[in-house]
Amino acid sequence: MASPDPITLPVATIDPTYPTVIQDVFSGVVPAEKFWISCYKASHPSVHAKIKAELHEKERDLVVTSVIEGDLTLDRADDGKYIVSCESLGIHKTPVLPPIQEYFDVERSNPQRPQRITAFDVSPDSSRFATGFLDGSVFLYPTSSTSSFSKSDPAQKITPTISERAISRPHLSTTTHLQFFPSSRVLLSSGADFSLTVLPADLPEPSSNVTTSMRLTPVRTLRAHTRPITSTAMIGPGRNILSASLDGSLKLWDIPSTTVISSILSRSTQPILSATLASVSSDPQSLVEGTTVYCGLQDGSVQLFDLRAQSGLVQTSAARSRGGAAALAHNTFHHFLAVGSSKGLVSIYDTRAMGTNVTSFRRGQGGAGVEDLAFLGGDEARLVVVTSDGLPYVANMLPDGPGVASELVGGDCDPVRSVRVRETAAGAQDIWSTGDDAVVRQWRL
């Protein structure tokens, strides 16, 4: 079946400091201030605008905005979100969401010389997060609770103290992937040095008398791959894990013994760039019965691995023109598999018939690579896309096909490398991301 032509989605960008501008006007720091909005779509003239923020003439506790240059509109919704529309580029009431929190490490997030975060994860209970770096180190931090907030408030800036964090250096070179175990108290790291390590994820008790960070010592080290590890997956509580590598193998591990239970090679030993579980065994006596895994390959195809048969099954077609399958996300409710390519294309497949490409889309003309993907919870089939151009967004899949549901504001065009989605106790959806500016950002939908 022929794949549909990719749909080009528009981009709405806004001055990332706009919440601070509005807050300064509201607080009386300045009587009025301006910020910018720019909108783009491939093969169309771009639209640029200046927005003036000032207090309402009569209602002095209300900030109003007006467009003084440019053919677009900016409106404030009842819930406080600001919404951009630009009819000439097909941008219809798109929220521009600032983060609610930004985390800065005192040593690693220096704006002049940020140390790029190469791996990231948030614990399942959202109590902590971990970052990995080019030097093979791993840092562990506590998260901070969020008080009530407006959708347009400036982000709460958090700088954990040295005594609040824990650090380790489990790898000889780049930390490539991080994943918490279901308990949230153990962390799995993988590296470009071909190894995986299991680290305790306990946080220290903050103390003003402590001037150094707590050190984490690996409790297990797993070695069998012959090239950098790109992805991991947990089976059940984490006694068994899966690892994918550029050596073209998918390995199933027994954590207590640090041994490989089985190893499956991809088609033509293609390097595996990404992996995600397709289904998990429902038989507590057999971890492989019914467990299948999607793997994204360097040639742009996706292969389904069956652990029981120890072989690769159905796969999508290869197309090097699309770029490698750098990111995968699976939505079981809608039977969608999202594939993000290194050349910026996002393809959606129906997992009941993997030859069926439901739709595909991209943004911009430069082909900024897709770095990571994550489906939001619920029945709306919304997909978070983070890219190397530093312009993350939420895409809608249903009911009218792909479109931009929200722009995620905060960064200054530094590549965004990782994204995670966690549901709060109140049922809200939190999006976490990080990248080359070494800042961890949190949005709440």
Side-chain angles (χ1 to χ4, degrees):
M1 178 177 178
S3 298
D5 290 334
I7 295 169
T8 300
L9 300 181
V11 181
T13 64
I14 189 169
D15 185 340
T17 67
Y18 88 88
T20 301
V21 170
I22 292 171
Q23 185 65 43
D24 286 348
V25 172
F26 177 80
S27 302
V29 176
V30 291
E33 188 60 274
K34 299 174 185 176
F35 57 90
W36 56 264
I37 297 176
S38 293
C39 299
Y40 307 89
K41 189 175 183 180
S43 303
H44 291 70
S46 56
V47 176
H48 305 279
K50 288 183 179 179
I51 310 296
K52 182 179 182 181
E54 57 189 339
L55 286 177
H56 192 277
E57 289 184 359
K58 297 180 179 180
E59 299 180 39
R60 304 304 286 176
D61 60 347
L62 177 64
V63 176
V64 295
T65 58
S66 56
V67 179
I68 57 176
E69 289 181 26
D71 183 20
L72 52 75
T73 62
L74 179 70
D75 300 301
R76 189 176 189 271
D78 292 339
D79 63 358
K81 291 196 296 274
Y82 280 89
I83 297 171
V84 173
S85 297
C86 181
E87 295 303 319
S88 64
L89 299 183
I91 298 173
H92 307 294
K93 296 182 177 179
T94 300
V96 283
L97 303 180
I100 61 172
Q101 291 187 332
E102 294 181 324
Y103 291 82
F104 298 82
D105 184 278
V106 292
E107 297 174 354
R108 302 256 164 171
S109 304
N110 184 330
Q112 304 304 317
R113 296 183 61 185
Q115 298 188 41
R116 169 185 167 187
I117 294 175
T118 58
F120 173 72
D121 197 24
V122 180
S123 64
D125 66 2
S126 298
S127 65
R128 61 207 68 201
F129 66 86
T131 55
F133 295 89
L134 289 167
D135 62 1
S137 62
V138 172
F139 283 58
L140 183 69
Y141 308 87
T143 58
S144 177
S145 59
T146 54
S147 56
S148 59
F149 66 95
S150 166
K151 297 286 188 179
S152 60
D153 281 348
Q156 179 185 6
K157 298 186 184 300
I158 300 168
T159 304
T161 64
I162 289 176
S163 65
E164 288 179 299
R165 71 185 186 185
I167 63 176
S168 181
R169 191 176 180 184
H171 301 289
L172 299 176
S173 55
T174 306
T175 304
T176 56
H177 197 265
L178 292 170
Q179 185 173 8
F180 281 93
F181 282 67
S183 68
S184 298
R185 299 301 181 266
V186 184
L187 179 67
L188 177 68
S189 72
S190 55
D193 62 354
F194 318 158
S195 73
L196 301 104
T197 65
V198 178
L199 294 163
D202 296 320
L203 289 165
E205 291 293 333
S207 172
S208 58
N209 299 322
V210 177
T211 58
T212 59
S213 299
M214 185 174 80
R215 295 281 173 174
L216 301 175
T217 302
V219 295
R220 297 281 190 282
T221 300
L222 293 71
R223 292 188 176 91
H225 285 290
T226 58
R227 290 194 67 194
I229 298 159
T230 54
S231 190
T232 61
M234 301 280 172
I235 298 179
R239 178 185 174 91
N240 301 103
I241 64 163
L242 292 161
S243 61
S245 167
L246 295 181
D247 63 15
S249 72
L250 178 73
K251 297 187 187 299
L252 173 65
W253 297 83
D254 177 72
I255 291 292
S257 66
T258 69
T259 58
V260 176
I261 298 172
S262 63
S263 181
I264 310 171
L265 292 178
S266 65
R267 180 184 59 82
S268 302
T269 324
Q270 277 284 317
I272 301 174
L273 306 184
S274 54
T276 187
L277 286 172
S279 61
V280 180
S281 173
S282 59
D283 181 1
Q285 303 302 316
S286 174
L287 60 93
V288 299
E289 185 73 28
T291 299
T292 52
V293 188
Y294 293 114
C295 289
L297 307 185
Q298 186 168 276
D299 65 1
S301 67
V302 177
Q303 191 168 6
L304 179 65
F305 289 84
D306 185 339
L307 297 189
R308 176 183 56 185
Q310 297 191 32
S311 64
L313 302 175
V314 63
Q315 66 182 51
T316 64
S317 60
R320 291 190 181 276
S321 60
R322 294 193 303 241
L328 299 177
H330 186 212
N331 183 306
T332 56
F333 184 86
H334 290 287
H335 307 284
F336 284 162
L337 178 69
V339 183
S341 86
S342 58
K343 293 187 178 180
L345 182 68
V346 178
S347 301
I348 307 297
Y349 292 90
D350 186 333
T351 58
R352 294 164 296 186
M354 278 299 290
T356 304
N357 185 192
V358 177
T359 189
S360 58
F361 56 91
R362 59 164 30 106
R363 300 213 304 178
Q365 293 179 316
V370 176
E371 296 288 332
D372 204 0
L373 299 168
F375 276 106
L376 289 163
D379 58 3
E380 296 181 335
R382 292 178 297 169
L383 179 69
V384 188
V385 184
V386 300
T387 52
S388 59
D389 62 3
L391 299 173
Y393 64 101
V394 179
N396 265 338
M397 300 297 105
L398 299 171
D400 301 320
V404 178
S406 300
E407 299 280 5
L408 301 177
V409 181
D412 192 19
C413 295
D414 292 288
V416 181
R417 305 292 181 181
S418 302
V419 65
R420 298 291 185 268
V421 171
R422 298 290 182 264
E423 185 171 336
T424 70
Q429 299 279 319
D430 279 357
I431 299 171
W432 297 77
S433 81
T434 191
D436 287 11
D437 64 357
V439 178
V440 174
R441 294 184 173 86
Q442 176 191 5
W443 292 266
R444 179 161 295 168
L445 301 184

